[in-house]
């Protein structure tokens, strides 16, 4: 028996929200969908090629839903109807085949798979995640974040667990070019530092899910004191993104034994590397001088050739 989900889900209406591949959009909105709509999204992501070939009735049967739910799913993604969704999925899967995807990213990694096969899976998943991130990322938002950081009196970076490691890498990069930046992983210390922020400061919160409570609290505290807030996340409607002034989006390609949070690391690092370079471009003389001084300071600790 099929189920009809009557839960209201906001449709994608603006052009910027429709940028990127359809599968990226489905994946980024997956946490918003519930019940029948979630099952449709999971069915599309599980086998996009089959979804592209299916009629609306066939997709409804495969996902255990109804044609009406499929229609609502299409509209939630910004499509007029199912025909438009099918065309976009078919075009995207066709481009993937034309690009020479020799590894099926959707294939589950099995416990007995040889390491060569696992390596191929990881490389394919990371490559696709990078391309999806490039399609999702709003360069205008990167420009805004870079402009704010370049003139900031203080930059606070908040993150927990793996996101904290990414934040520390970014903090190190900014320090090398003379930007006063601190990375906070302890929520008490982070909140105390956030409470001292003011206009002209920048706070960056990093969370793949956008739902890490500690990171949300620290970013919200910083914003309440006038700091410009930036969120780095994979989900544009997550709580972290909703409270931020600027949102930088990443994509992921999870595999068995490697969840989304871990597969998000490389795209996060790429986006922050881009942001770092954009900041350096805006402060060329200061950044170059600071980098030269910091390089000389540590040069004596590097190994020397005989």
């Amino acid at each position: 028996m099929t189920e009809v989900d009557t839960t209201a889900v906001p449709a994608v209406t603006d052009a910027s929200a429709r940028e990127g591949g359809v599968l990226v959009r489905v994946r980024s909105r997956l946490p918003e969908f519930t019940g029948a709509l979630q099952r449709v999204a999971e069915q599309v992501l599980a086998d996009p090629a089959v979804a592209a070939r299916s009629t609306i009735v066939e997709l409804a049967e495969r996902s255990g839903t109804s044609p009406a739910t499929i229609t609502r799913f299409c509209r939630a993604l910004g499509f007029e109807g199912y025909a438009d969704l099918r065309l976009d999925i078919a075009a995207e899967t066709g481009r993937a085949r034309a690009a020479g995807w020799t590894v099926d990213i959707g294939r589950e990694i099995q416990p007995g798979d040889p390491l060569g096969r696992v390596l191929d899976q990881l490389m394919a998943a990371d490559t696709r995640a990078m391309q999806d991130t490039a399609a999702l990322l709003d360069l205008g938002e990167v420009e805004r974040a870079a402009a704010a950081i370049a003139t900031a009196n203080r930059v606070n970076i908040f993150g927990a667990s793996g996101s904290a490691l990414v934040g520390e890498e970014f903090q190190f990069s900014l320090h090398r070019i003379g930007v006063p930046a601190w990375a906070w992983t302890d929520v008490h210390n982070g909140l105390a530092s956030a409470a001292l922020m003011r206009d002209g400061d920048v706070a960056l919160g990093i969370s793949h899910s956008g739902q890490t409570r500690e990171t949300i609290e620290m970013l919200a505290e910083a914003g309440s004191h006038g700091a410009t807030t930036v969120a780095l996340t994979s989900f544009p409607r997550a709580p972290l993104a909703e409270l931020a002034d600027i949102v930088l989006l990443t994509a992921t390609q999870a595999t068995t034994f490697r969840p989304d949070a871990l597969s998000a690391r490389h795209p996060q690092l790429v986006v922050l590397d881009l942001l770092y370079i954009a900041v350096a471009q805006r402060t060329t003389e200061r950044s170059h001088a600071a980098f030269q001084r910091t390089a000389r300071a540590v040069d004596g600790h590097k190994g020397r050739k005989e």
Side-chain angles (χ1 to χ4, degrees):
M1 180 177 179
T2 59
E3 174 187 341
V4 177
D5 190 332
T6 57
T7 305
V9 176
V12 175
T13 55
D14 57 81
S16 63
R18 291 196 298 269
E19 292 177 357
V22 60
L23 299 180
V24 177
R25 280 147 46 200
V26 173
R27 192 176 299 109
S28 69
R29 298 200 65 185
L30 188 59
E32 302 171 45
F33 296 135
T34 59
L37 286 177
Q38 188 175 70
R39 293 203 298 277
V40 175
E42 290 172 345
Q43 182 64 39
V44 169
L45 292 173
D47 201 334
V50 169
R53 296 193 300 270
S54 300
T55 65
I56 190 170
V57 173
E58 289 171 340
L59 183 58
E61 290 176 347
R62 286 193 175 92
S63 57
T65 61
S66 68
T69 299
I70 304 299
T71 299
R72 290 182 55 251
F73 176 76
C74 296
R75 290 174 179 168
L77 292 172
F79 294 100
E80 290 294 325
Y82 183 58
D84 294 331
L85 174 67
R86 282 183 66 187
L87 285 173
D88 266 29
I89 295 175
E92 188 166 334
T93 54
R95 286 193 299 269
R97 287 193 297 271
W101 292 113
T102 57
V103 177
D104 177 10
I105 295 175
R107 177 186 181 274
E108 294 288 342
I109 296 177
Q110 302 299 319
D113 281 350
L115 285 181
R117 170 66 185 177
V118 174
L119 177 60
D120 287 344
Q121 281 283 104
L122 293 178
M123 292 297 293
D126 278 350
T127 301
R128 184 62 185 269
M130 299 293 188
Q131 293 185 333
D132 287 348
T133 294
L136 275 176
L137 191 61
D138 185 337
L139 295 182
E141 292 286 89
V142 178
E143 296 273 5
R144 288 180 59 204
I149 292 173
T151 59
N153 299 310
R154 179 186 186 90
V155 178
N156 272 344
I157 303 164
F158 306 119
S161 189
S163 294
L165 299 176
V166 175
E168 288 172 350
E169 287 287 335
F170 187 55
Q171 183 262 342
F172 171 74
S173 296
L174 291 180
H175 254 309
R176 290 295 300 269
I177 59 172
V179 176
W182 289 263
W184 302 98
T185 57
D186 178 85
V187 65
H188 290 177
N189 291 334
L191 285 171
S193 183
L196 297 175
M197 301 190 80
R198 57 184 187 273
D199 290 345
D201 295 338
V202 176
L204 167 65
I206 304 173
S207 171
H208 158 65
S209 67
Q211 298 183 33
T212 305
R213 189 181 66 183
E214 293 84 354
T215 304
I216 293 169
E217 288 178 355
M218 291 185 284
L219 196 69
E221 180 70 23
S224 71
H225 295 285
T228 298
T229 53
V230 183
L232 178 63
T233 181
S234 298
F235 299 98
R237 289 173 178 78
L240 187 72
E242 293 287 351
L243 69 85
D245 299 314
I246 301 169
V247 179
L248 307 179
L249 291 177
T250 58
T252 66
Q253 287 285 341
T255 60
T256 311
F257 309 125
R258 191 183 184 226
D260 275 352
L262 181 58
S263 63
R265 297 295 172 259
H266 289 157
Q268 286 175 341
L269 288 169
V270 167
V271 172
L272 291 179
D273 196 22
L274 177 64
L275 180 57
Y276 159 71
I277 292 172
V279 172
Q281 287 177 323
R282 284 160 178 73
T283 57
T284 304
E285 292 186 9
R286 184 186 76 184
S287 294
H288 182 71
F291 193 83
Q292 292 298 315
R293 289 198 300 272
T294 55
R296 285 195 299 269
V298 300
D299 189 60
H301 291 270
K302 295 180 179 178
R304 298 184 180 277
K305 295 181 179 180
E306 295 294 337

